[in-house]
PDB file of all heavy atoms in Angstrom:
ATOM      1  N   ASP A  27    -141.077 -26.297 104.192  1.00  0.00           N
ATOM      2  CA  ASP A  27    -141.294 -27.719 104.485  1.00  0.00           C
ATOM      3  C   ASP A  27    -142.606 -27.996 105.199  1.00  0.00           C
ATOM      4  O   ASP A  27    -142.785 -29.074 105.763  1.00  0.00           O
ATOM      5  CB  ASP A  27    -140.133 -28.264 105.317  1.00  0.00           C
ATOM      6  CG  ASP A  27    -138.812 -28.196 104.566  1.00  0.00           C
ATOM      7  OD1 ASP A  27    -138.805 -28.531 103.369  1.00  0.00           O
ATOM      8  OD2 ASP A  27    -137.804 -27.786 105.167  1.00  0.00           O
ATOM      9  N   HIS A  28    -143.547 -27.059 105.163  1.00  0.00           N
ATOM     10  CA  HIS A  28    -144.816 -27.302 105.850  1.00  0.00           C
ATOM     11  C   HIS A  28    -145.626 -28.350 105.094  1.00  0.00           C
ATOM     12  O   HIS A  28    -145.466 -28.548 103.897  1.00  0.00           O
ATOM     13  CB  HIS A  28    -145.614 -26.005 105.980  1.00  0.00           C
ATOM     14  CG  HIS A  28    -146.388 -25.644 104.745  1.00  0.00           C
ATOM     15  ND1 HIS A  28    -145.786 -25.117 103.620  1.00  0.00           N
ATOM     16  CD2 HIS A  28    -147.715 -25.762 104.449  1.00  0.00           C
ATOM     17  CE1 HIS A  28    -146.696 -24.904 102.695  1.00  0.00           C
ATOM     18  NE2 HIS A  28    -147.877 -25.289 103.153  1.00  0.00           N
ATOM     19  N   THR A  29    -146.470 -29.059 105.811  1.00  0.00           N
ATOM     20  CA  THR A  29    -147.327 -30.075 105.211  1.00  0.00           C
ATOM     21  C   THR A  29    -148.747 -29.530 105.100  1.00  0.00           C
ATOM     22  O   THR A  29    -149.116 -28.560 105.789  1.00  0.00           O
ATOM     23  CB  THR A  29    -147.343 -31.352 106.069  1.00  0.00           C
ATOM     24  OG1 THR A  29    -147.981 -31.054 107.320  1.00  0.00           O
ATOM     25  CG2 THR A  29    -145.938 -31.860 106.315  1.00  0.00           C
ATOM     26  N   PRO A  30    -149.585 -30.136 104.238  1.00  0.00           N
ATOM     27  CA  PRO A  30    -150.988 -29.682 104.134  1.00  0.00           C
ATOM     28  C   PRO A  30    -151.696 -29.681 105.480  1.00  0.00           C
ATOM     29  O   PRO A  30    -152.513 -28.796 105.763  1.00  0.00           O
ATOM     30  CB  PRO A  30    -151.608 -30.701 103.172  1.00  0.00           C
ATOM     31  CG  PRO A  30    -150.458 -31.152 102.322  1.00  0.00           C
ATOM     32  CD  PRO A  30    -149.272 -31.173 103.235  1.00  0.00           C
ATOM     33  N   ALA A  31    -151.380 -30.651 106.342  1.00  0.00           N
ATOM     34  CA  ALA A  31    -152.038 -30.718 107.648  1.00  0.00           C
ATOM     35  C   ALA A  31    -151.640 -29.540 108.541  1.00  0.00           C
ATOM     36  O   ALA A  31    -152.408 -29.110 109.406  1.00  0.00           O
ATOM     37  CB  ALA A  31    -151.683 -32.032 108.349  1.00  0.00           C
ATOM     38  N   GLN A  32    -150.445 -29.006 108.317  1.00  0.00           N
ATOM     39  CA  GLN A  32    -149.952 -27.900 109.141  1.00  0.00           C
ATOM     40  C   GLN A  32    -150.352 -26.538 108.589  1.00  0.00           C
ATOM     41  O   GLN A  32    -150.294 -25.543 109.304  1.00  0.00           O
ATOM     42  CB  GLN A  32    -148.423 -27.952 109.218  1.00  0.00           C
ATOM     43  CG  GLN A  32    -147.844 -29.195 109.857  1.00  0.00           C
ATOM     44  CD  GLN A  32    -146.332 -29.267 109.657  1.00  0.00           C
ATOM     45  OE1 GLN A  32    -145.807 -28.839 108.627  1.00  0.00           O
ATOM     46  NE2 GLN A  32    -145.635 -29.817 110.648  1.00  0.00           N
ATOM     47  N   GLU A  33    -150.772 -26.492 107.312  1.00  0.00           N
ATOM     48  CA  GLU A  33    -150.873 -25.208 106.628  1.00  0.00           C
ATOM     49  C   GLU A  33    -151.823 -24.231 107.317  1.00  0.00           C
ATOM     50  O   GLU A  33    -151.471 -23.054 107.494  1.00  0.00           O
ATOM     51  CB  GLU A  33    -151.314 -25.412 105.172  1.00  0.00           C
ATOM     52  CG  GLU A  33    -151.369 -24.099 104.411  1.00  0.00           C
ATOM     53  CD  GLU A  33    -151.499 -24.304 102.913  1.00  0.00           C
ATOM     54  OE1 GLU A  33    -150.722 -25.091 102.339  1.00  0.00           O
ATOM     55  OE2 GLU A  33    -152.376 -23.668 102.326  1.00  0.00           O
ATOM     56  N   LEU A  34    -152.997 -24.679 107.712  1.00  0.00           N
ATOM     57  CA  LEU A  34    -153.960 -23.759 108.312  1.00  0.00           C
ATOM     58  C   LEU A  34    -153.390 -23.091 109.549  1.00  0.00           C
ATOM     59  O   LEU A  34    -153.480 -21.867 109.717  1.00  0.00           O
ATOM     60  CB  LEU A  34    -155.255 -24.502 108.651  1.00  0.00           C
ATOM     61  CG  LEU A  34    -156.369 -23.635 109.261  1.00  0.00           C
ATOM     62  CD1 LEU A  34    -156.750 -22.515 108.296  1.00  0.00           C
ATOM     63  CD2 LEU A  34    -157.588 -24.494 109.603  1.00  0.00           C
ATOM     64  N   ALA A  35    -152.771 -23.881 110.430  1.00  0.00           N
ATOM     65  CA  ALA A  35    -152.209 -23.322 111.662  1.00  0.00           C
ATOM     66  C   ALA A  35    -151.037 -22.390 111.364  1.00  0.00           C
ATOM     67  O   ALA A  35    -150.923 -21.296 111.943  1.00  0.00           O
ATOM     68  CB  ALA A  35    -151.762 -24.450 112.589  1.00  0.00           C
ATOM     69  N   VAL A  36    -150.168 -22.792 110.437  1.00  0.00           N
ATOM     70  CA  VAL A  36    -148.996 -21.977 110.113  1.00  0.00           C
ATOM     71  C   VAL A  36    -149.418 -20.655 109.482  1.00  0.00           C
ATOM     72  O   VAL A  36    -148.923 -19.582 109.848  1.00  0.00           O
ATOM     73  CB  VAL A  36    -148.052 -22.755 109.173  1.00  0.00           C
ATOM     74  CG1 VAL A  36    -146.923 -21.853 108.688  1.00  0.00           C
ATOM     75  CG2 VAL A  36    -147.476 -23.977 109.876  1.00  0.00           C
ATOM     76  N   VAL A  37    -150.338 -20.711 108.522  1.00  0.00           N
ATOM     77  CA  VAL A  37    -150.803 -19.498 107.851  1.00  0.00           C
ATOM     78  C   VAL A  37    -151.496 -18.561 108.841  1.00  0.00           C
ATOM     79  O   VAL A  37    -151.281 -17.336 108.821  1.00  0.00           O
ATOM     80  CB  VAL A  37    -151.736 -19.861 106.680  1.00  0.00           C
ATOM     81  CG1 VAL A  37    -152.487 -18.637 106.183  1.00  0.00           C
ATOM     82  CG2 VAL A  37    -150.938 -20.484 105.542  1.00  0.00           C
ATOM     83  N   SER A  38    -152.311 -19.122 109.708  1.00  0.00           N
ATOM     84  CA  SER A  38    -152.999 -18.288 110.706  1.00  0.00           C
ATOM     85  C   SER A  38    -151.993 -17.565 111.600  1.00  0.00           C
ATOM     86  O   SER A  38    -152.162 -16.381 111.925  1.00  0.00           O
ATOM     87  CB  SER A  38    -153.926 -19.155 111.565  1.00  0.00           C
ATOM     88  OG  SER A  38    -154.937 -19.736 110.766  1.00  0.00           O
ATOM     89  N   ARG A  39    -150.945 -18.271 111.980  1.00  0.00           N
ATOM     90  CA  ARG A  39    -149.922 -17.656 112.834  1.00  0.00           C
ATOM     91  C   ARG A  39    -149.176 -16.559 112.088  1.00  0.00           C
ATOM     92  O   ARG A  39    -148.939 -15.468 112.634  1.00  0.00           O
ATOM     93  CB  ARG A  39    -148.944 -18.730 113.325  1.00  0.00           C
ATOM     94  CG  ARG A  39    -147.758 -18.189 114.122  1.00  0.00           C
ATOM     95  CD  ARG A  39    -146.902 -19.313 114.686  1.00  0.00           C
ATOM     96  NE  ARG A  39    -146.430 -20.231 113.664  1.00  0.00           N
ATOM     97  CZ  ARG A  39    -145.382 -19.990 112.874  1.00  0.00           C
ATOM     98  NH1 ARG A  39    -144.721 -18.848 112.980  1.00  0.00           N
ATOM     99  NH2 ARG A  39    -145.000 -20.893 111.991  1.00  0.00           N
ATOM    100  N   LEU A  40    -148.811 -16.804 110.837  1.00  0.00           N
ATOM    101  CA  LEU A  40    -148.044 -15.822 110.077  1.00  0.00           C
ATOM    102  C   LEU A  40    -148.858 -14.572 109.768  1.00  0.00           C
ATOM    103  O   LEU A  40    -148.297 -13.473 109.654  1.00  0.00           O
ATOM    104  CB  LEU A  40    -147.546 -16.456 108.769  1.00  0.00           C
ATOM    105  CG  LEU A  40    -146.475 -17.540 108.926  1.00  0.00           C
ATOM    106  CD1 LEU A  40    -146.183 -18.205 107.590  1.00  0.00           C
ATOM    107  CD2 LEU A  40    -145.184 -16.936 109.510  1.00  0.00           C
ATOM    108  N   ARG A  41    -150.161 -14.725 109.652  1.00  0.00           N
ATOM    109  CA  ARG A  41    -151.002 -13.559 109.341  1.00  0.00           C
ATOM    110  C   ARG A  41    -151.075 -12.565 110.499  1.00  0.00           C
ATOM    111  O   ARG A  41    -151.516 -11.432 110.308  1.00  0.00           O
ATOM    112  CB  ARG A  41    -152.409 -14.034 108.979  1.00  0.00           C
ATOM    113  CG  ARG A  41    -152.509 -14.548 107.541  1.00  0.00           C
ATOM    114  CD  ARG A  41    -153.884 -15.078 107.232  1.00  0.00           C
ATOM    115  NE  ARG A  41    -154.012 -15.413 105.818  1.00  0.00           N
ATOM    116  CZ  ARG A  41    -155.024 -16.090 105.306  1.00  0.00           C
ATOM    117  NH1 ARG A  41    -156.005 -16.509 106.100  1.00  0.00           N
ATOM    118  NH2 ARG A  41    -155.068 -16.345 104.016  1.00  0.00           N
ATOM    119  N   ARG A  42    -150.643 -12.970 111.667  1.00  0.00           N
ATOM    120  CA  ARG A  42    -150.613 -12.016 112.783  1.00  0.00           C
ATOM    121  C   ARG A  42    -149.541 -10.954 112.587  1.00  0.00           C
ATOM    122  O   ARG A  42    -149.637  -9.846 113.121  1.00  0.00           O
ATOM    123  CB  ARG A  42    -150.343 -12.766 114.096  1.00  0.00           C
ATOM    124  CG  ARG A  42    -151.412 -13.778 114.482  1.00  0.00           C
ATOM    125  CD  ARG A  42    -150.966 -14.608 115.669  1.00  0.00           C
ATOM    126  NE  ARG A  42    -151.811 -15.786 115.874  1.00  0.00           N
ATOM    127  CZ  ARG A  42    -151.447 -16.855 116.543  1.00  0.00           C
ATOM    128  NH1 ARG A  42    -150.218 -16.899 117.092  1.00  0.00           N
ATOM    129  NH2 ARG A  42    -152.258 -17.875 116.682  1.00  0.00           N
ATOM    130  N   ASP A  43    -148.486 -11.296 111.840  1.00  0.00           N
ATOM    131  CA  ASP A  43    -147.359 -10.375 111.691  1.00  0.00           C
ATOM    132  C   ASP A  43    -147.110  -9.924 110.251  1.00  0.00           C
ATOM    133  O   ASP A  43    -146.231  -9.096 110.019  1.00  0.00           O
ATOM    134  CB  ASP A  43    -146.083 -11.036 112.225  1.00  0.00           C
ATOM    135  CG  ASP A  43    -146.206 -11.444 113.685  1.00  0.00           C
ATOM    136  OD1 ASP A  43    -146.625 -10.605 114.495  1.00  0.00           O
ATOM    137  OD2 ASP A  43    -145.902 -12.615 113.993  1.00  0.00           O
TER     138      ASP A  43
END
Side-chain angles (χ1 to χ4, degrees):
D27 297 317
H28 82 284
T29 66
Q32 298 170 326
E33 183 167 310
L34 181 59
V36 173
V37 166
S38 297
R39 175 175 56 80
L40 291 173
R41 280 177 173 169
R42 297 172 193 159
D43 302 310

